[in-house]
Amino acid sequence: MTTSSPGTTGTPLESATRALNAWIELELDALDNNAHVLRETAGDATVMAVVKANAYGHGADVVGPALEAAGIERFAVVFLPEAVALREAGVTRPVLVLGHSFAEDAETAVAHDITLTVDGEEQAAAVADAALRAGKAPVPVHVKVDSGMHRFGLAPDEVAALADRVRTLEGVTLEALWTHLANADHEDDSFTIEQDRVVAEAVRLAGPVPMRHIANTATTIRHPEFRYDAVRTGLGLYGALPDHTPNPGLQRVLSMKARLARVFDVSPGEGVSYGLTWVAERQSRVALVPIGYADGYHRALSNRGHVLAGGRRCPIVGRICMDQFLIDVTGVPGVSEGDEAVLIGEQGGETITAAEVAGHIDTINYEVLAGLNRRLPRLGHRKGIVEATC
Ligand SMILES: *Cc1c(COP(=O)(O)O)cnc(C)c1O
């Protein structure tokens, strides 16, 4: 994995994408803006950028180093290999693994200065041993409190027992207790308040720790009292928002584009794509978009939603295939083969957001973004000059 390919960086975006069927553009100025806005919003808390799932589909190899350059202090991912990939992409600041890992992961984590969330004594001891062997002791570990979401984590009494055990180990220090909120994007905050209370109880039982972190994007923006020592912001960095969350000035980073591969006429009664599920009722003009469900553009979007072409919203017609689908461009002037189509992003003053796409298929913007496949090249640019690709 590389953060730049010499043939592309420094090139204007138009020439870099001229011979691409489909791609993702990342506006690095918008990413910088979002990092600064969330930094301001977080006040005294450290901002931990959540770049799991390939930076929510944006491309972690581009996003990680760009966020570090923008001053982000810490990073978080869910699985160890994601953390190792961040290091390989050049990220040097602390990286936390939020999800489950194994005692067997200790050596790799320590070798790459990656902080694990430990959930058991055997694992804590393995990290301590690896740290001592590597001459890096003591290394920090975090412990997750299950404060009521009942997913990963330990109950407060188990947290206290693990904290006691960790304090006996020479090779590790307990840097933080943290939790994840189940209803941060709900209008009703009562369960968030309850979860905060459970974490406070865990802290009381476990004794003082240097850090506590519970806030995701929604909580960071909505609840200053829950920012504590660090906030873990994901979605907001990408300029998208959870439900019931006001926008403090975040801007969309990602655009998903394709180059129309064929523009042609279909006559009344003729169908298109698998199953011929759309049949022209009138003389129609359709255009072929070379992206499909293998790219993360869900098959459930068949005959639903729009793509921007010729500066207009053009309806999706027929089934989304693995690699391509059609849009109806009847009556849209001047649409021709080779034109750019916008699946997420802006064209001619019209905008399609990930949230709009999600709305057609009964899901959330998180899933639309995180599901974008690695087949699509990512081009990070500033004002149209390509700076990094992956
Ligand atoms: C994904 C994730 C986050 C980030 O949530 P956003 O709503 O995207 O800000 C924070 N913490 C944990 C544990 C996560 O898994």
Side-chain angles (χ1 to χ4, degrees), residues 36-52:
H36 292 132
V37 166
L38 288 170
R39 174 92 293 306
E40 289 290 300
T41 305
D44 292 335
T46 295
V47 175
M48 208 184 275
V50 181
V51 292
K52 62 186 176 186

Side-chain angles (χ1 to χ4, degrees), residues 80-151:
L80 180 62
E82 299 181 295
V84 173
L86 266 192
R87 287 281 181 254
E88 284 167 354
V91 168
T92 64
R93 303 225 170 99
V95 178
L96 173 65
V97 171
L98 298 166
H100 179 263
S101 47
F102 299 87
E104 288 82 348
D105 290 326
E107 201 151 316
T108 304
V110 168
H112 290 90
D113 300 309
I114 291 159
T115 305
L116 296 182
T117 296
V118 297
D119 67 344
E121 293 190 7
E122 185 207 351
Q123 192 193 16
V127 176
D129 282 353
L132 290 166
R133 276 199 310 276
K136 292 183 174 179
V139 301
V141 293
H142 291 206
V143 172
K144 181 174 186 183
V145 184
D146 174 6
S147 58
M149 188 167 168
H150 298 131
R151 222 173 48 169

Side-chain angles (χ1 to χ4, degrees), residues 50 52 56 78 98 144 151 178-180 214-218 232-236 238 242 366:
V50 181
K52 62 186 176 186
Y56 290 46
V78 171
L98 298 166
K144 181 174 186 183
R151 222 173 48 169
W178 66 274
T179 202
H180 195 48
I214 75 172
N216 54 10
T217 296
R232 305 186 308 268
T233 54
L235 196 66
Y238 309 104
Y366 289 84

